[in-house]
Amino acid sequence: MIPEFADPAAPSLPLWLVRSGDAGPLLPPGLGAPAESWARAQGFAGKPGQICLLPSAEGALAGALFGLGAADRPPGRERFPLARAAEALPAGNWRLENLPEGFDAGRAALGWLFAQYRFDRYKAAEPARARLVCPKGAEPRRLLALASGEYLARDLINTPASDMGPEELEEAARALAARHGATVEVTRGAGLLEANFPMIHAVGRAGAQEPRLIDLRFPGSGPRLTLVGKGVCFDTGGLDIKPPSSMALMKKDMGGAANVLGLAETMASLGLTRGLSLRVLIPAVENAISANAFRPGDILTSRKGLTVEINNTDAEGRLVLADALALAAEESPALLISMATLTGAARVALGPELPPFFCDDDATAAAIQSAGMAAADPVWRLPFWEPYETMIEPGIADLDNAPSGGFAGAITAALFLRRFAAGAGRYAHFDIYGWQPSAAPGRPKGGTGQGMRALLDALPELLA
Ligand code: BES
Ligand code: MN
Ligand code: ZN
């Protein structure tokens, strides 16, 4: 699906934004007394998300009112206030007729595009019908690029593992590369052993499709930025098999890969890749069960040489990421980012809508967190808590992939990854959920982007 605005030259209906609680007439001047009494008779009071259709004298649809709530309503309850309009208005083109003070037209337009997303690969979904003319002051090119990245991430996550294995994930990465002139190198199957990616191989070798490492480089020159995304196309838990309720959603375990590809799509569409050396690495595997599956108690030697005792085959994400991060760190990028649906513990700590991220550099972390808040893409810093390093150090190997006890599971997973990222200028890791559990305005139930806009907006500061 392609995000689209309405053609500004085509006929459109006016949409009036109305705040509640204003003294005097409810509606903006120009609408007239009949509209005012019509709105009041309908019970329209400008409450958040309230909609009132306006008739013409002939009984045709002449426009609509949309409630924004009180001017002093605390922001942030809803990320995309206008998205409700996109979901509820009748078919046709709509234009914002008034822009109240303090109303963020760019945010509103982005929310509208986000609300128009449909996942229609398996069933003809009712198409989004209401289209928005991109409002004044908003940048259509930028908003469409943001929405394309978001749509891509959602599509990849929503597609079940039966159609989104390592093979199809590679194809999606190749398609993205082809759109933007990036080069692709893929190391597969036994090639992973020859090229020294033993842990990607160990985790993925039980899958029906060959495990692989996908390596994209975008044309451009400047500071090195490397994005690494967890591409576990399905996570059964391996031999330490997950119970049904935990396995149900594990098609989304390539959410990190989906997000870094979505971010790369947006950056490349905006031409932002030209001034840097962008590389995207995706270890793509299925954590499956078979006679050749890796086992609890196995000790793996990683690309970096560190040995890892497997305490739980369900802590597979950190293993495949470790080899990819080690490769990334070998060329010392200025900034190394990983995104992964890594731990259940991150969800216990902050819930599905506020992904934690980890970064040792205070200025980098502050830039990312504040950019995320400003872009309706909230992320929250957690610490790489040094004293917990002992928790990932078992008796007979350098590292333990799944410390028993499970205390601080998101932190211990992040500390594990950090061991392999050493050599990069700065490193930030995002433990995302990648899934919207129930629909919210602009955020349909299903796969979702997390952290993409936080990173995108922080980048100028991070790579300055
Ligand atoms: N993919 C899961 C983490 C996950 C679970 C993310 C549910 C989002 C929702 C990961 O591979 C995993 O299984 N992690 C284990 C690690 C544990 C065995 C140390 C977890 O978090 O339970
Ligand atoms: Mn797992
Ligand atoms: Zn996993």
Side-chain angles (χ1 to χ4, degrees):
M1 241 194 106
I2 298 166
E4 278 172 335
F5 284 118
D7 175 0
S12 58
L13 290 164
L15 180 61
W16 303 83
L17 304 173
V18 181
R19 291 207 199 276
S20 62
D22 299 345
L26 183 63
L27 303 190
L31 269 165
E36 176 89 19
S37 57
W38 170 258
R40 288 189 188 275
Q42 300 281 323
F44 181 82
K47 289 192 193 126
Q50 227 185 346
I51 287 177
C52 177
L53 301 180
L54 298 173
S56 71
E58 294 76 37
L61 181 60
L65 308 172
F66 184 79
L68 296 179
D72 61 357
R73 183 167 185 258
R77 255 300 169 93
E78 269 171 353
R79 292 186 199 176
F80 302 110
L82 194 65
R84 281 182 195 279
E87 283 151 12
L89 284 174
N93 295 340
W94 296 84
R95 64 178 188 272
L96 298 184
E97 196 64 6
N98 63 326
L99 294 175
E101 216 182 286
F103 181 79
D104 185 339
R107 168 80 62 84
L110 186 64
W112 192 298
L113 295 176
F114 278 18
Q116 285 182 314
Y117 173 82
R118 297 286 183 277
F119 183 59
D120 55 8
R121 176 163 172 168
Y122 300 96
K123 175 175 152 188
E126 194 179 316
R129 297 168 312 156
R131 292 205 168 176
L132 183 69
V133 176
C134 187
K136 281 192 197 69
E139 303 165 79
R141 199 171 88 93
R142 181 178 163 78
L143 297 173
L144 291 168
L146 289 170
S148 304
E150 175 71 22
Y151 281 25
L152 175 62
R154 289 180 185 180
D155 280 346
L156 293 174
I157 296 171
N158 286 333
T159 305
S162 47
D163 287 317
M164 190 51 65
E167 185 68 46
E168 290 90 356
L169 190 54
E170 176 186 332
E171 276 165 28
R174 285 189 186 279
L176 181 141
R179 284 197 292 282
H180 301 292
T183 61
V184 188
E185 233 183 88
V186 178
T187 310
R188 267 185 225 93
L192 289 167
L193 294 176
E194 283 154 36
N196 192 24
F197 299 104
M199 297 209 295
I200 300 175
H201 184 269
V203 171
R205 71 190 178 208
Q209 295 183 358
E210 283 182 320
R212 62 203 72 200
L213 177 65
I214 305 162
D215 185 350
L216 308 185
R217 287 184 191 270
F218 288 75
S221 60
R224 282 188 197 281
L225 168 64
T226 301
L227 310 175
V228 180
K230 173 177 171 182
V232 175
C233 293
F234 194 81
D235 183 8
T236 64
L239 293 173
D240 287 315
I241 189 167
K242 286 180 185 291
S245 60
S246 307
M247 206 191 294
L249 266 183
M250 283 299 123
K251 69 171 182 179
K252 77 173 178 70
D253 214 20
M254 31 57 73
N259 270 265
V260 298
L261 290 173
L263 176 57
E265 170 70 31
T266 299
M267 289 178 65
S269 305
L270 291 173
L272 298 177
T273 45
R274 285 197 286 270
L276 31 103
S277 302
L278 176 66
R279 184 182 195 187
V280 175
L281 290 170
I282 296 171
V285 302
E286 183 173 344
N287 189 19
I289 298 172
S290 185
N292 66 344
F294 75 127
R295 295 160 288 246
D298 283 359
I299 293 181
L300 308 178
T301 301
S302 65
R303 174 179 188 83
K304 199 183 162 110
L306 292 169
T307 54
V308 181
E309 181 176 344
I310 304 306
N311 218 337
N312 190 325
T313 60
D314 200 6
E316 84 296 341
R318 66 198 72 185
L319 303 173
V320 298
L321 288 169
D323 278 354
L325 286 168
L327 173 71
E330 284 161 21
E331 60 177 21
S332 306
L335 183 59
L336 176 57
I337 304 282
S338 56
M339 297 184 116
T341 50
L342 202 62
T343 69
R347 252 40 64 193
V348 175
L350 299 178
E353 298 193 3
L354 185 60
F357 74 101
F358 301 79
C359 181
D360 277 326
D361 185 72
D362 290 344
T364 302
I368 291 172
Q369 187 158 332
S370 62
M373 292 301 159
D377 183 23
V379 291
W380 202 264
R381 187 186 190 188
L382 287 184
F384 279 120
W385 190 249
E386 197 68 35
Y388 292 167
E389 287 279 3
T390 54
M391 293 195 204
I392 58 171
E393 292 162 351
I396 62 167
D398 294 319
L399 289 166
D400 180 338
N401 83 322
S404 45
F407 282 136
I411 295 177
T412 52
L415 288 172
F416 185 100
L417 296 183
R418 189 178 67 167
R419 297 282 186 108
F420 297 88
R426 282 158 295 149
Y427 172 54
H429 158 63
F430 291 72
D431 193 334
I432 64 170
Y433 192 55
W435 191 260
Q436 180 66 27
S438 52
R443 294 180 293 151
K445 180 179 173 180
T448 187
Q450 287 185 323
M452 288 194 272
R453 276 167 289 126
L455 272 170
L456 186 82
D457 289 355
L459 273 185
E461 213 175 316
L462 302 187
L463 293 176

